[in-house]
Amino acid sequence: MPRRVLLVSHPDCQAHDPGPGHPERLARLEAALEALAEDAALGPDVLVRVEAARATEQALLRVHTPGHLARVRAHVEAAARTRMLDWLEPETPVSAGSWRAAVAAAGAAIEAAERVARGEAGAAFALVRPPGHHAWADRGGGYCLLNNVAIAARAVQAAGLARRVLVVDWDVHHCDGTQSIFWEDPAVYVLSVHLWPHYPHTGAPEERGAGAGEGTTRNVAVPHGTRAPEQRRLFEEGLAAALAEFQPDLVLLSAGFDPLEGDPEGGLHLEPADLHAMTRTLLARCAAAGCDRIAAVLEGGYVPPRLGQGVVQVVRALAGLPAA
């Protein structure tokens, strides 16, 4: 019998409008929702929709500096005054609704993580935008304003729901923001499997953390031209190595869909069925290590129909359903 999966989001995630032609566009969430609705196996008894609360200022400040939050707000306020886009970073525009969207996305990530950590569901998927994993404590970039996964990790720790958190990021881009936030933290292990070399030009295998966090960062660099079977093998080996070093209470998956074949921001060759298999591997390996609590948070993926197909496959795997 399928296990219940929470689909956590907020309408304000669509308030962020980076303008016509920008890859991180509103159609991404629309395509995912349409694809999920079309899968008869993901009815309301399996996929339970939850509208999240917005993240509080306290939750944001566990990760981000006051200066960064003030800067994002200032750029959003400028966009509202001029009724034009304003630019947080060269590739990261904001609109009048971007602060509402960012706080809603962070809130959905928190809600997904906390509900799973409390045992209210076996798994959850936070369907959010803007993405988060390129946001550092003190700056944004790479289409990211706030680091949703990092904010969720700190929230469950602050609530006493999990002490040791494993972040698994398979987005095609290295999670430079997430890595930097937890670089010296032994209680959060960051595993990133990403195209190398590629934007943001961080994430070399020798980057392993520092201080008390030395050894709780692991980067798996996937060379250009790697085919899907080899990438899946690299993912499995990286995950096995991470779990040999770290026993998590909760797993947060930064679920990027830009490793799929044909993504203009990518360059890898996975298919949606590969992401189903990788999710199944993640579930099985983590359960064997004593952790069966997982919440996924949407990151990249810039071909909306492919994003939708990928989200369906990941959610099916989280529910224990076979690949479609």
Side-chain angles (χ1 to χ4, degrees), residues 141-208:
Y143 313 158
C144 302
L145 309 184
L146 303 174
N147 196 306
N148 303 318
V149 160
I151 292 166
R154 288 293 187 233
V156 294
Q157 289 176 325
L161 296 170
R163 189 173 65 87
R164 294 164 63 82
V165 178
L166 171 63
V167 176
V168 177
D169 190 313
W170 68 37
D171 192 278
V172 79
H173 305 100
H174 176 243
C175 55
D176 56 326
T178 309
Q179 174 176 289
S180 71
I181 289 164
F182 299 119
W183 186 246
E184 297 186 6
D185 187 346
V188 179
Y189 194 112
V190 178
L191 169 65
S192 180
V193 182
H194 51 270
L195 182 64
W196 174 269
H198 195 48
Y199 178 89
H201 313 294
T202 54
E206 58 267 23
E207 296 172 18
R208 294 297 321 273

Side-chain angles (χ1 to χ4, degrees), residues 14-101:
Q14 292 294 63
H16 172 62
D17 185 358
H22 194 279
E24 207 292 283
R25 55 196 185 273
L26 282 68
R28 299 176 68 237
L29 290 199
E30 294 166 357
L33 289 169
E34 288 172 8
L36 291 167
E38 290 171 359
D39 191 320
L42 298 176
D45 54 334
V46 175
L47 189 60
V48 180
R49 301 195 177 206
V50 175
E51 182 172 315
R54 298 176 181 86
T56 64
E57 187 85 357
Q58 180 185 31
L60 304 183
L61 287 169
R62 293 191 188 106
V63 169
H64 292 291
T65 64
H68 174 63
L69 300 184
R71 181 168 174 258
V72 176
R73 283 192 178 104
H75 281 278
V76 171
E77 289 166 2
R81 283 195 307 271
T82 63
R83 299 184 181 182
M84 298 175 65
L85 294 175
D86 206 82
W87 297 84
L88 184 66
E89 298 292 343
E91 75 291 346
T92 309
V94 296
S95 63
S98 294
W99 178 255
R100 287 190 293 119

Side-chain angles (χ1 to χ4, degrees), residues 235-314:
F235 172 75
E236 291 172 10
E237 288 183 353
L239 179 60
L243 292 172
E245 297 175 333
F246 188 83
Q247 186 172 359
D249 304 316
L250 176 71
V251 178
L252 297 179
L253 171 63
S254 274
F257 295 88
D258 40 13
L260 292 174
E261 179 83 57
D263 194 290
E265 300 281 311
L268 290 173
H269 305 286
L270 296 180
E271 292 295 328
D274 293 305
L275 295 180
H276 183 279
M278 289 164 63
T279 307
R280 292 289 297 269
T281 296
L282 179 62
L283 291 168
R285 292 288 181 90
C286 290
C291 180
D292 61 357
R293 301 186 295 173
I294 180 169
V297 180
L298 179 64
E299 298 286 359
Y302 303 102
V303 179
R306 296 281 278 170
L307 169 66
Q309 294 165 9
V311 169
V312 166
Q313 294 287 28
V314 170

